[in-house]
Amino acid sequence: MSEQNPVGHVINEVVVRAEQHNPAGKWVGADLALVTYEPPARYIVHVVTKSHFADEQIKSALNVDDTISDVLSGLSSEVVEGEPYVLNDEVLTDEVITAKFVGRTIMPDLAACLSPVSGPTV
Amino acid sequence: MTTTQSPQETLPPELYADLASYDPRSHEYQEGLKVANELARECGYRLLTSEDIFPPTQLEVPSGFKNNLLLKNGLTIPRADIEGKVHSLANNQPEIVMDVQRMVTDRGASILVGDLRGSMTSQTQKLGPENAAETSKLDRTFYTDVKNFAEQNGGLYSVRAVPGVYYSKPSKTMLRAYWIDLGGDSDGTRRIARIADARTKAEEESVYSKVLKTPF
């Protein structure tokens, strides 16, 4: 299977790169780096809790800051992010993230949210 | 000596206008300020502040704020304060002087917002929004996060490997504005500085590897 289609590959490592806490202090979102050994590949995925995803959707729907001209002029070139991967858990923890990803096989729903990272970064 | 001036008054501006043309760290500026303040003290005027010499400019006030003043050379930070967080500074001076926005939120919280993007290596400076619409969208989200940070209202993205580094991200875009917490000033006012922007995953990787030096 090619690096572009990670479905069926096993995740061997997960690194939490960034985390988002809501105003109440709950950990509700994270940027994760997922690593597969076979084949060697690395991906970025943005994960959120279901309640945070719902909050974001509502906020986005109510967003009145974006003027029509902004939207129209930005559409042509703006790099649009894929949907985040939504977890059913109420709050994120290292244990939750490890249990959800490490040793698991990448299924199509997760694959749709992954962004491949090419080459070494340091 | 008898003083007749109110301590709220400053020397006539024409007496110290030339000071604004000097770098505030320079010997000439320091000597000029000393002479001006000796004169002020002798004549009963109050001593000069940096805002007398570099008058602030009122900038467009973002949503959620009631004030946004640009202070020229308004923030001096020792390089050591940001070492360990930022690694691609082009500026190698022991102190970094930058313009700063002094902003007050609708709820009265003050914050100083500096911009270190121009002090980064040129490779990093080129990252980020490519047009006015993207710039506007990213700035709006950045200022919303600045407001939340000033009011300690949470909800921010923090980079796990580097404490004190945050980013702002408009929903449904890959635009990001990275910024660092510089701690409070002597009055306890929170201080932050924007360090880099990104608009794609590849640029985000560049920020992590070149600016933050964090491994994948």
Side-chain angles (χ1 to χ4, degrees):
Chain A
M1 198 162 281
S2 72
E3 190 178 330
Q4 282 69 38
N5 184 1
V7 174
H9 299 167
V10 175
I11 300 164
N12 298 103
E13 291 178 30
V14 176
V15 179
V16 179
R17 288 158 47 107
E19 49 192 77
Q20 186 186 28
H21 296 259
N22 69 10
K26 279 186 176 180
W27 184 9
V28 294
D31 278 353
L32 306 179
L34 308 182
V35 182
T36 63
Y37 293 164
E38 190 55 49
R42 303 178 300 171
Y43 304 92
I44 301 281
V45 63
H46 183 57
V47 300
V48 293
T49 63
K50 187 178 276 184
S51 59
H52 184 62
F53 181 70
D55 287 347
E56 289 288 301
Q57 292 297 104
I58 291 166
K59 248 191 265 177
S60 179
L62 295 176
N63 187 358
V64 293
D65 283 340
D66 291 345
T67 64
I68 290 173
S69 63
D70 271 356
V71 172
L72 291 177
S73 59
L75 277 180
S76 57
S77 62
E78 190 174 279
V79 180
V80 178
E81 186 170 51
E83 291 292 324
Y85 188 67
V86 181
L87 298 175
N88 281 323
D89 303 76
E90 278 297 304
V91 63
L92 300 181
T93 64
D94 286 337
E95 290 72 27
V96 164
I97 288 169
T98 301
K100 295 282 181 185
F101 294 101
V102 177
R104 298 298 181 103
T105 301
I106 298 174
M107 304 303 281
D109 60 336
L110 174 58
C113 301
L114 298 180
S115 302
V117 177
S118 57
T121 57
V122 178
Chain B
M1 182 173 181
T2 304
T3 58
T4 55
Q5 307 300 327
S6 156
Q8 298 307 312
E9 288 182 42
T10 63
L11 285 169
E14 58 271 23
L15 292 182
Y16 58 86
D18 285 352
L19 280 176
S21 62
Y22 292 100
D23 183 325
R25 292 166 300 177
S26 67
H27 177 72
E28 290 84 354
Y29 177 90
Q30 296 297 336
E31 284 300 304
L33 183 61
K34 195 171 153 192
V35 169
N37 274 334
E38 279 172 3
L39 183 61
R41 195 177 287 114
E42 285 289 314
C43 300
Y45 292 103
R46 72 166 170 79
L47 300 185
L48 296 169
T49 68
S50 63
E51 289 185 29
D52 295 319
I53 297 157
F54 301 102
T57 308
Q58 177 69 54
L59 300 178
E60 184 182 348
V61 183
S63 174
F65 292 87
K66 58 185 177 187
N67 207 347
N68 182 13
L69 292 177
L70 177 68
L71 313 179
K72 293 295 287 180
N73 298 312
L75 189 57
T76 303
I77 52 172
R79 187 184 172 83
D81 278 8
I82 60 173
E83 277 177 350
K85 293 180 183 174
V86 175
H87 294 264
S88 67
L89 270 177
N91 183 336
N92 60 8
Q93 298 297 313
E95 287 189 333
I96 297 156
V97 180
M98 59 183 145
D99 295 350
V100 62
Q101 290 165 254
R102 189 174 64 205
M103 308 181 75
V104 181
T105 72
D106 284 341
R107 292 183 186 172
S110 295
I111 188 164
L112 297 170
V113 182
D115 191 347
L116 279 172
R117 287 175 295 176
S119 301
M120 295 291 156
T121 56
S122 57
Q123 209 173 8
T124 306
Q125 280 182 31
K126 289 174 187 167
L127 307 180
E130 285 195 342
N131 57 49
E134 288 181 359
T135 301
S136 164
K137 185 174 282 189
L138 185 58
D139 285 353
R140 277 203 301 269
T141 305
F142 171 66
Y143 285 122
T144 298
D145 285 352
V146 169
K147 180 178 77 74
N148 286 335
F149 187 73
E151 295 174 347
Q152 304 187 46
N153 200 21
L156 305 165
Y157 287 99
S158 56
V159 174
R160 182 180 266 209
V162 196
V165 176
Y166 300 87
Y167 67 81
S168 304
K169 179 180 104 57
S171 62
K172 298 183 178 176
T173 76
M174 290 168 65
L175 296 166
R176 292 174 190 226
Y178 289 82
W179 46 278
I180 58 175
D181 178 8
L182 294 169
D185 70 1
S186 54
D187 298 329
T189 304
R190 305 194 107 186
R191 303 176 308 158
I192 67 165
R194 194 161 164 180
I195 52 173
D197 295 339
R199 77 182 290 277
T200 64
K201 283 288 175 197
E203 290 191 358
E204 183 190 338
E205 283 303 304
S206 275
V207 172
Y208 272 87
S209 62
K210 295 192 176 93
V211 181
L212 304 174
K213 280 280 190 221
T214 68
F216 178 76

